[in-house]
Amino acid sequence: TFLNMHIAKPLVKNIICISSFLKSFYKKKHCNVLLLPSLIDNNDPKYNSHKYIPSEDNVKFFYAGSPGTKERMDYVVRAVNELINEGFRVSLDICGISKDEFIKKYGIDTLFNEEKIKFYGRLPNSICLKMIQESDFCTFAREVSLANSAGFPTKFSESLACGTPVVTTPTSDIKDHLKNGYNGFLAEDCSYESYLNAMRLAAETSLEDRKRMHIFCKENRTLHYMNYVEQMKLFINELDNYD
């Protein structure tokens, strides 16, 4: 990794990177740098294949992915369980990991309201996208780390393309794209309590607010690739200056 970042890539001189963290790093190496977060083609039919129908009686959260070392999936399950105990009518669907795998990884087996928190294990991407489109909010939690600062979560881009607002923590450049109350809720920091507060704000939204947020996600097209065409042109025009 050291040889790749400090020697090999700076020799290339023209760098397309996914985060402002990496942009700053390669700018200091005097490279021609273009920042492109995880972009989506919002016109792709897979992001528009299912209709969102909200419920007055339940706020549906969705988590997709394998938690690995990047994410605090235990935050998600704990928060939804805590909201249920506070009297909020919420539920959580989890795709990508089974209940047994979750318990083995986190050693937690006493937090489950099994009627409201459901594990589906690994599912095809098409089914996950359908579940995202049918949910009120997609959610995930990450802590600050070198890997999370240098990357950018594709699941954030995909959720917005599906029209589904996101509740998450402020890692990478998410704060530049998430507008509180419009396309999601962003925790003030990466602590559990701050994430729980953001989830609580989502749980308190009315049916009409959730409809409005879904419409905003669809119409705003925050991370649609066409939004970055002009930046790409400028980057290409600079290529000769950095040979």
Short mmCIF file of all heavy atoms in Angstrom, two decimals, residues 52-95:
data_model
loop_
_atom_site.label_atom_id
_atom_site.label_comp_id
_atom_site.label_asym_id
_atom_site.label_seq_id
_atom_site.Cartn_x
_atom_site.Cartn_y
_atom_site.Cartn_z
N TYR A 52 -42.62 2.83 -4.08
CA TYR A 52 -42.57 3.08 -2.63
C TYR A 52 -43.96 3.39 -2.13
O TYR A 52 -44.62 4.33 -2.59
CB TYR A 52 -41.63 4.25 -2.34
CG TYR A 52 -41.71 4.77 -0.93
CD1 TYR A 52 -41.35 3.98 0.15
CD2 TYR A 52 -42.15 6.07 -0.68
CE1 TYR A 52 -41.43 4.46 1.45
CE2 TYR A 52 -42.22 6.56 0.61
CZ TYR A 52 -41.86 5.76 1.67
OH TYR A 52 -41.94 6.24 2.96
N ILE A 53 -44.44 2.57 -1.19
CA ILE A 53 -45.76 2.79 -0.57
C ILE A 53 -45.56 2.85 0.93
O ILE A 53 -45.43 1.81 1.59
CB ILE A 53 -46.75 1.67 -0.95
CG1 ILE A 53 -46.87 1.56 -2.48
CG2 ILE A 53 -48.11 1.94 -0.32
CD1 ILE A 53 -47.74 0.41 -2.94
N PRO A 54 -45.51 4.05 1.52
CA PRO A 54 -45.26 4.16 2.97
C PRO A 54 -46.45 3.72 3.79
O PRO A 54 -47.60 3.70 3.32
CB PRO A 54 -44.98 5.65 3.15
CG PRO A 54 -45.73 6.30 2.04
CD PRO A 54 -45.69 5.36 0.89
N SER A 55 -46.16 3.36 5.04
CA SER A 55 -47.20 2.95 5.98
C SER A 55 -47.34 3.98 7.08
O SER A 55 -46.35 4.51 7.58
CB SER A 55 -46.85 1.58 6.59
OG SER A 55 -47.70 1.29 7.68
N GLU A 56 -48.55 4.26 7.46
CA GLU A 56 -48.81 5.18 8.58
C GLU A 56 -48.39 4.55 9.90
O GLU A 56 -48.04 5.24 10.86
CB GLU A 56 -50.30 5.53 8.62
CG GLU A 56 -50.66 6.61 9.62
CD GLU A 56 -50.26 8.01 9.15
OE1 GLU A 56 -50.76 8.48 8.12
OE2 GLU A 56 -49.40 8.60 9.84
N ASP A 57 -48.42 3.21 9.94
CA ASP A 57 -48.24 2.49 11.20
C ASP A 57 -46.82 2.00 11.44
O ASP A 57 -46.55 1.41 12.49
CB ASP A 57 -49.18 1.27 11.23
CG ASP A 57 -50.64 1.67 11.16
OD1 ASP A 57 -50.99 2.72 11.73
OD2 ASP A 57 -51.42 0.95 10.52
N ASN A 58 -45.91 2.20 10.52
CA ASN A 58 -44.57 1.65 10.69
C ASN A 58 -43.56 2.42 9.85
O ASN A 58 -43.83 2.74 8.69
CB ASN A 58 -44.55 0.18 10.27
CG ASN A 58 -43.20 -0.46 10.47
OD1 ASN A 58 -42.66 -0.49 11.58
ND2 ASN A 58 -42.62 -0.96 9.39
N VAL A 59 -42.40 2.72 10.43
CA VAL A 59 -41.28 3.30 9.69
C VAL A 59 -40.29 2.16 9.45
O VAL A 59 -39.74 1.59 10.39
CB VAL A 59 -40.60 4.45 10.46
CG1 VAL A 59 -39.38 4.96 9.70
CG2 VAL A 59 -41.59 5.57 10.69
N LYS A 60 -40.09 1.84 8.18
CA LYS A 60 -39.29 0.68 7.82
C LYS A 60 -37.85 1.09 7.48
O LYS A 60 -37.61 1.86 6.56
CB LYS A 60 -39.91 -0.03 6.61
CG LYS A 60 -39.18 -1.31 6.21
CD LYS A 60 -39.74 -1.89 4.91
CE LYS A 60 -41.13 -2.40 5.09
NZ LYS A 60 -41.59 -3.11 3.86
N PHE A 61 -36.90 0.55 8.26
CA PHE A 61 -35.48 0.75 7.99
C PHE A 61 -34.92 -0.49 7.27
O PHE A 61 -35.42 -1.60 7.46
CB PHE A 61 -34.70 0.96 9.30
CG PHE A 61 -35.01 2.24 10.00
CD1 PHE A 61 -35.91 2.28 11.07
CD2 PHE A 61 -34.40 3.43 9.60
CE1 PHE A 61 -36.19 3.46 11.72
CE2 PHE A 61 -34.68 4.62 10.26
CZ PHE A 61 -35.57 4.64 11.32
N PHE A 62 -33.87 -0.26 6.50
CA PHE A 62 -33.26 -1.36 5.76
C PHE A 62 -31.74 -1.26 5.84
O PHE A 62 -31.18 -0.16 5.70
CB PHE A 62 -33.70 -1.33 4.30
CG PHE A 62 -33.12 -2.45 3.47
CD1 PHE A 62 -33.61 -3.73 3.58
CD2 PHE A 62 -32.07 -2.21 2.60
CE1 PHE A 62 -33.07 -4.77 2.82
CE2 PHE A 62 -31.51 -3.23 1.85
CZ PHE A 62 -32.02 -4.52 1.95
N TYR A 63 -31.10 -2.39 6.08
CA TYR A 63 -29.63 -2.47 6.04
C TYR A 63 -29.24 -3.55 5.05
O TYR A 63 -29.77 -4.66 5.09
CB TYR A 63 -29.06 -2.80 7.42
CG TYR A 63 -27.57 -3.10 7.37
CD1 TYR A 63 -26.63 -2.10 7.54
CD2 TYR A 63 -27.11 -4.39 7.12
CE1 TYR A 63 -25.27 -2.36 7.47
CE2 TYR A 63 -25.75 -4.67 7.04
CZ TYR A 63 -24.84 -3.66 7.22
OH TYR A 63 -23.50 -3.92 7.13
N ALA A 64 -28.30 -3.23 4.16
CA ALA A 64 -27.81 -4.21 3.20
C ALA A 64 -26.29 -4.24 3.24
O ALA A 64 -25.64 -3.20 3.34
CB ALA A 64 -28.29 -3.88 1.79
N GLY A 65 -25.73 -5.44 3.16
CA GLY A 65 -24.28 -5.55 3.05
C GLY A 65 -23.69 -6.48 4.08
O GLY A 65 -24.35 -6.88 5.04
N SER A 66 -22.45 -6.81 3.86
CA SER A 66 -21.70 -7.59 4.84
C SER A 66 -20.90 -6.61 5.69
O SER A 66 -20.12 -5.83 5.15
CB SER A 66 -20.75 -8.55 4.12
OG SER A 66 -19.95 -9.25 5.04
N PRO A 67 -21.09 -6.59 7.00
CA PRO A 67 -20.51 -5.52 7.82
C PRO A 67 -19.00 -5.48 7.84
O PRO A 67 -18.41 -4.42 7.94
CB PRO A 67 -21.08 -5.81 9.22
CG PRO A 67 -21.51 -7.23 9.19
CD PRO A 67 -21.92 -7.51 7.79
N GLY A 68 -18.32 -6.62 7.73
CA GLY A 68 -16.86 -6.62 7.70
C GLY A 68 -16.27 -5.82 8.85
O GLY A 68 -16.75 -5.83 9.98
N THR A 69 -15.23 -5.06 8.54
CA THR A 69 -14.58 -4.23 9.57
C THR A 69 -14.94 -2.76 9.42
O THR A 69 -14.59 -1.95 10.28
CB THR A 69 -13.05 -4.39 9.49
OG1 THR A 69 -12.60 -4.01 8.18
CG2 THR A 69 -12.64 -5.83 9.75
N LYS A 70 -15.62 -2.38 8.34
CA LYS A 70 -15.91 -0.97 8.09
C LYS A 70 -17.09 -0.46 8.89
O LYS A 70 -17.16 0.73 9.21
CB LYS A 70 -16.18 -0.74 6.60
CG LYS A 70 -14.98 -0.89 5.69
CD LYS A 70 -15.36 -0.57 4.26
CE LYS A 70 -14.17 -0.66 3.32
NZ LYS A 70 -14.54 -0.35 1.93
N GLU A 71 -18.05 -1.33 9.18
CA GLU A 71 -19.32 -0.85 9.69
C GLU A 71 -19.62 -1.36 11.09
O GLU A 71 -19.14 -2.41 11.51
CB GLU A 71 -20.45 -1.27 8.74
CG GLU A 71 -20.30 -0.61 7.38
CD GLU A 71 -21.48 -0.87 6.47
OE1 GLU A 71 -22.43 -1.56 6.88
OE2 GLU A 71 -21.45 -0.38 5.34
N ARG A 72 -20.42 -0.57 11.81
CA ARG A 72 -20.92 -0.95 13.12
C ARG A 72 -22.38 -1.37 12.97
O ARG A 72 -23.31 -0.63 13.28
CB ARG A 72 -20.78 0.21 14.09
CG ARG A 72 -19.34 0.59 14.42
CD ARG A 72 -18.56 -0.55 15.06
NE ARG A 72 -19.22 -1.09 16.25
CZ ARG A 72 -18.87 -0.74 17.49
NH1 ARG A 72 -17.89 0.11 17.71
NH2 ARG A 72 -19.52 -1.27 18.52
N MET A 73 -22.55 -2.58 12.48
CA MET A 73 -23.90 -3.09 12.30
C MET A 73 -24.61 -3.26 13.64
O MET A 73 -25.83 -3.19 13.73
CB MET A 73 -23.86 -4.41 11.55
CG MET A 73 -25.22 -4.91 11.14
SD MET A 73 -25.08 -6.50 10.35
CE MET A 73 -26.79 -6.97 10.37
N ASP A 74 -23.82 -3.49 14.69
CA ASP A 74 -24.42 -3.60 16.02
C ASP A 74 -25.10 -2.30 16.43
O ASP A 74 -26.12 -2.32 17.14
CB ASP A 74 -23.38 -4.02 17.06
CG ASP A 74 -22.16 -3.10 17.09
OD1 ASP A 74 -21.78 -2.57 16.03
OD2 ASP A 74 -21.59 -2.91 18.18
N TYR A 75 -24.57 -1.15 15.97
CA TYR A 75 -25.23 0.13 16.22
C TYR A 75 -26.65 0.10 15.64
O TYR A 75 -27.61 0.58 16.27
CB TYR A 75 -24.47 1.28 15.55
CG TYR A 75 -23.25 1.79 16.27
CD1 TYR A 75 -22.64 1.08 17.29
CD2 TYR A 75 -22.70 3.03 15.91
CE1 TYR A 75 -21.51 1.57 17.92
CE2 TYR A 75 -21.57 3.53 16.55
CZ TYR A 75 -20.98 2.79 17.55
OH TYR A 75 -19.87 3.28 18.17
N VAL A 76 -26.78 -0.41 14.42
CA VAL A 76 -28.06 -0.40 13.71
C VAL A 76 -29.10 -1.22 14.48
O VAL A 76 -30.21 -0.76 14.75
CB VAL A 76 -27.90 -0.94 12.28
CG1 VAL A 76 -29.24 -0.96 11.56
CG2 VAL A 76 -26.88 -0.12 11.50
N VAL A 77 -28.72 -2.44 14.83
CA VAL A 77 -29.65 -3.34 15.53
C VAL A 77 -29.99 -2.78 16.92
O VAL A 77 -31.15 -2.76 17.33
CB VAL A 77 -29.06 -4.75 15.63
CG1 VAL A 77 -29.96 -5.65 16.47
CG2 VAL A 77 -28.87 -5.35 14.23
N ARG A 78 -28.97 -2.30 17.63
CA ARG A 78 -29.21 -1.72 18.97
C ARG A 78 -30.15 -0.52 18.88
O ARG A 78 -31.06 -0.37 19.71
CB ARG A 78 -27.89 -1.28 19.59
CG ARG A 78 -27.03 -2.39 20.14
CD ARG A 78 -25.72 -1.83 20.66
NE ARG A 78 -25.91 -0.84 21.72
CZ ARG A 78 -24.97 0.01 22.12
NH1 ARG A 78 -23.77 0.01 21.54
NH2 ARG A 78 -25.21 0.87 23.10
N ALA A 79 -29.93 0.34 17.89
CA ALA A 79 -30.74 1.56 17.77
C ALA A 79 -32.19 1.23 17.49
O ALA A 79 -33.10 1.80 18.12
CB ALA A 79 -30.16 2.46 16.68
N VAL A 80 -32.43 0.33 16.55
CA VAL A 80 -33.82 -0.02 16.22
C VAL A 80 -34.49 -0.69 17.41
O VAL A 80 -35.64 -0.40 17.74
CB VAL A 80 -33.87 -0.93 14.97
CG1 VAL A 80 -35.29 -1.46 14.75
CG2 VAL A 80 -33.41 -0.16 13.74
N ASN A 81 -33.77 -1.58 18.10
CA ASN A 81 -34.33 -2.22 19.29
C ASN A 81 -34.67 -1.18 20.36
O ASN A 81 -35.72 -1.26 21.01
CB ASN A 81 -33.34 -3.24 19.83
CG ASN A 81 -33.97 -4.14 20.87
OD1 ASN A 81 -34.68 -5.07 20.54
ND2 ASN A 81 -33.71 -3.86 22.14
N GLU A 82 -33.78 -0.19 20.52
CA GLU A 82 -34.02 0.85 21.52
C GLU A 82 -35.23 1.71 21.16
O GLU A 82 -36.03 2.08 22.02
CB GLU A 82 -32.77 1.72 21.70
CG GLU A 82 -32.80 2.58 22.94
CD GLU A 82 -31.43 3.06 23.38
OE1 GLU A 82 -30.41 2.44 22.99
OE2 GLU A 82 -31.38 4.05 24.12
N LEU A 83 -35.37 2.02 19.88
CA LEU A 83 -36.52 2.79 19.43
C LEU A 83 -37.83 2.03 19.67
O LEU A 83 -38.84 2.62 20.06
CB LEU A 83 -36.38 3.14 17.94
CG LEU A 83 -35.26 4.13 17.59
CD1 LEU A 83 -35.13 4.26 16.07
CD2 LEU A 83 -35.51 5.49 18.23
N ILE A 84 -37.79 0.72 19.42
CA ILE A 84 -38.97 -0.11 19.69
C ILE A 84 -39.33 -0.04 21.18
O ILE A 84 -40.50 0.13 21.55
CB ILE A 84 -38.72 -1.57 19.26
CG1 ILE A 84 -38.60 -1.65 17.72
CG2 ILE A 84 -39.83 -2.49 19.75
CD1 ILE A 84 -38.12 -2.99 17.21
N ASN A 85 -38.32 -0.14 22.02
CA ASN A 85 -38.56 -0.08 23.47
C ASN A 85 -39.07 1.29 23.91
O ASN A 85 -39.74 1.40 24.94
CB ASN A 85 -37.28 -0.43 24.23
CG ASN A 85 -36.89 -1.89 24.06
OD1 ASN A 85 -37.72 -2.73 23.74
ND2 ASN A 85 -35.61 -2.19 24.27
N GLU A 86 -38.74 2.33 23.15
CA GLU A 86 -39.23 3.68 23.46
C GLU A 86 -40.66 3.90 22.97
O GLU A 86 -41.25 4.95 23.25
CB GLU A 86 -38.31 4.72 22.82
CG GLU A 86 -36.93 4.82 23.46
CD GLU A 86 -36.02 5.81 22.75
OE1 GLU A 86 -36.52 6.56 21.87
OE2 GLU A 86 -34.81 5.86 23.07
N GLY A 87 -41.19 2.93 22.23
CA GLY A 87 -42.56 3.04 21.77
C GLY A 87 -42.73 3.45 20.32
O GLY A 87 -43.86 3.62 19.84
N PHE A 88 -41.62 3.63 19.59
CA PHE A 88 -41.72 3.97 18.18
C PHE A 88 -42.16 2.75 17.37
O PHE A 88 -41.74 1.61 17.65
CB PHE A 88 -40.37 4.46 17.64
CG PHE A 88 -39.99 5.83 18.12
CD1 PHE A 88 -39.12 6.00 19.18
CD2 PHE A 88 -40.51 6.96 17.49
CE1 PHE A 88 -38.77 7.27 19.61
CE2 PHE A 88 -40.17 8.23 17.92
CZ PHE A 88 -39.29 8.38 18.99
N ARG A 89 -42.97 2.99 16.37
CA ARG A 89 -43.41 1.90 15.48
C ARG A 89 -42.44 1.83 14.30
O ARG A 89 -42.61 2.50 13.28
CB ARG A 89 -44.84 2.16 15.01
CG ARG A 89 -45.85 2.07 16.17
CD ARG A 89 -47.27 2.34 15.72
NE ARG A 89 -47.46 3.73 15.35
CZ ARG A 89 -48.61 4.26 14.96
NH1 ARG A 89 -49.70 3.50 14.90
NH2 ARG A 89 -48.70 5.54 14.65
N VAL A 90 -41.40 1.04 14.48
CA VAL A 90 -40.34 0.91 13.49
C VAL A 90 -40.02 -0.57 13.28
O VAL A 90 -40.33 -1.42 14.13
CB VAL A 90 -39.06 1.66 13.92
CG1 VAL A 90 -39.30 3.14 14.05
CG2 VAL A 90 -38.50 1.08 15.23
N SER A 91 -39.37 -0.86 12.14
CA SER A 91 -38.91 -2.21 11.87
C SER A 91 -37.60 -2.13 11.11
O SER A 91 -37.23 -1.08 10.57
CB SER A 91 -39.95 -2.99 11.05
OG SER A 91 -40.15 -2.39 9.78
N LEU A 92 -36.88 -3.25 11.06
CA LEU A 92 -35.59 -3.31 10.39
C LEU A 92 -35.48 -4.61 9.61
O LEU A 92 -35.63 -5.70 10.18
CB LEU A 92 -34.46 -3.22 11.41
CG LEU A 92 -33.03 -3.45 10.89
CD1 LEU A 92 -32.62 -2.36 9.91
CD2 LEU A 92 -32.05 -3.53 12.06
N ASP A 93 -35.22 -4.51 8.31
CA ASP A 93 -34.91 -5.67 7.47
C ASP A 93 -33.43 -5.66 7.18
O ASP A 93 -32.86 -4.61 6.82
CB ASP A 93 -35.70 -5.62 6.16
CG ASP A 93 -37.19 -5.85 6.37
OD1 ASP A 93 -37.55 -6.57 7.33
OD2 ASP A 93 -37.99 -5.31 5.58
N ILE A 94 -32.77 -6.81 7.33
CA ILE A 94 -31.33 -6.92 7.17
C ILE A 94 -31.00 -7.93 6.09
O ILE A 94 -31.38 -9.10 6.20
CB ILE A 94 -30.65 -7.33 8.50
CG1 ILE A 94 -30.93 -6.27 9.58
CG2 ILE A 94 -29.15 -7.52 8.30
CD1 ILE A 94 -30.55 -6.71 10.97
N CYS A 95 -30.31 -7.49 5.07
CA CYS A 95 -29.91 -8.34 3.95
C CYS A 95 -28.39 -8.44 3.93
O CYS A 95 -27.70 -7.43 4.09
CB CYS A 95 -30.43 -7.74 2.64
SG CYS A 95 -29.70 -8.39 1.14
#
